[in-house]
Amino acid sequence: MRLYSTKNKKAFTQLKEAVLKGLPDDNGLYMPVEIPRLPEAFLNELSGFSFQEIAFTVCRSLFEHAIPDNDLKDIVYNAVNFPAPLARLDAEKYVLELFHGPSLAFKDFGARFMAQLMSYFNQGEERELVILVATSGDTGGAVAAGFLQAPGARVVILYPSGKVSMLQEKQLTTLGHNITALEVDGTFDDCQSMVKQAFLDSELTRKIRLTSANSINISRLIPQTFYYFEAFKQLPDDGREVVFCVPSGNFGNLTAGLMAQRMGLPIHHFIAATNVNDVVPEYLESALFNPRPSVPTLSNAMDVGNPSNFARMLDLCEGKEEGSTWNNMRKSITGYAFNDEQTRQAVAEVYRKFGYIIDPHGAVGYLALCRFQQQYSNTKGVILETAHPAKFLDEVESILNEKIEVPERLAILAEREKRAIHLSNDFNGFKKWLMDNLA
Ligand SMILES: *Cc1c(COP(=O)(O)O)cnc(C)c1O
């Protein structure tokens, strides 16, 4: 499998290097050179396959024999070890539940798959691979759970003290084994700059095999294509065209959907749903891409002012003539943005009308799908439900005015004992800790 950088389409990289490096040196993003179409026999017979079999077939086609079948099967089956069921709201609206993994958000798919691939590619290396992650809450939990007990890998998570929720903190600090949490007196930005500085420190990079679990690593994107096929499989065959509605922040999920479409899945259209951080809906409207600082909202995992996967979306929609890329993107994607008040009302409405508890991110998706279907009725819409509502317990309970059920894997965390190493936000202290403990 060959990959190029979105900043240089003529220099190719192999999968192993792209996964272990994360980012090309030119600061572009890795993309597959070929996105092969899957055989019709497979696309027409999805219902004959399990989710894991679908994931394996899709992955094998993209990887083009970069990994032998037996090994790839282990990687995919270990990563995709929880379901993605489709819930029906009504004949035109469905919800794809992507929150059945350990951290209760769809990021588990990407994090688990990346962990499996990194350990696979690190086999035979004498030194363990040290994955540094700075987190403002959610990503760290998914990455930690994904790498738990992965052979040859150690994860060091930096999080800002007092600035993550109690349950998020427990997700980072109670796993043990190869996962170490560093509680930093400072902000998320401090954590991120300490990690960045570590990669630039030649003494550290000489003594320790460092890598990052960056959200734009290609190995996090690829498994997100799998569940579009899995959703299709579960839809009734009623002749309606299928549209996917994707609550978006960095637009990884939507980019993966475009790739699934390229692989032959007959997706009629995409809806990009955002909160007031609406850089992409604005671009679709005006052809102007205007990144800006993000604004905090209720659907906070989508508070992104400069979506990192936009460069990949442009590539997937690229046209030859002036202005044609924008036109192509508009043909595939419609964007809508909603504020927090609308989001709260949508959480309440989905419960009232359908008896379904949706989280604030999914609720933004619900609003966008309703808006789209006012114009394009007779479509069948799938909302990607990106997180479990219990992750936003206080907010959702106050909107619905009732108690909601907390999944056991979240509830038991509250009793676990926190283990973290306290550090100041000073790089030298962090470096000393790394050298003393990992070099
Ligand atoms: C990360 C995240 C998103 C945004 O996904 P992107 O792929 O970055 O667009 C949406 N919802 C939840 C719950 C998330 O954690």
Side-chain angles (χ1 to χ4, degrees), residues 104-107 138-139 215 220-221 224 227 246-256 273 299-304 307-309 359-362 384-388 391-392:
L104 296 97
F106 82 91
K107 289 192 175 70
D138 270 348
T139 303
S215 71
R220 286 180 60 171
L221 197 61
Q224 291 173 225
Y227 42 71
V246 190
S248 295
N250 267 320
F251 282 80
N253 247 339
L254 204 140
T255 302
S299 47
N300 55 26
M302 311 194 319
D303 296 347
V304 178
S308 51
N309 282 292
D359 97 292
H361 302 79
L384 268 49
E385 172 56 318
T386 49
H388 193 288
K391 283 197 96 165
F392 308 92

Side-chain angles (χ1 to χ4, degrees), residues 170-181:
K170 296 271 179 165
Q171 284 186 325
L172 305 173
T173 58
T174 61
L175 291 169
H177 297 283
N178 58 334
I179 314 294
T180 306

Side-chain angles (χ1 to χ4, degrees), residues 106-125:
F106 82 91
K107 289 192 175 70
D108 285 325
F109 285 98
R112 293 184 74 78
F113 190 76
M114 176 171 62
Q116 291 292 323
L117 267 191
M118 280 189 172
S119 335
Y120 177 77
F121 284 133
N122 197 48
Q123 275 174 48
E125 286 287 340

Side-chain angles (χ1 to χ4, degrees), residues 8 38 63 71 108 136 161 181 183 185 208 213 280 293 352 360 364 383 397 402 420 424 426:
N8 179 359
L38 288 154
F63 278 12
D71 295 335
D108 285 325
S136 56
S161 181
E183 178 176 7
D185 279 324
I208 307 175
V280 171
R352 193 176 64 241
V364 172
I383 302 158
E397 286 185 341
E402 65 185 80
S424 77
D426 157 53

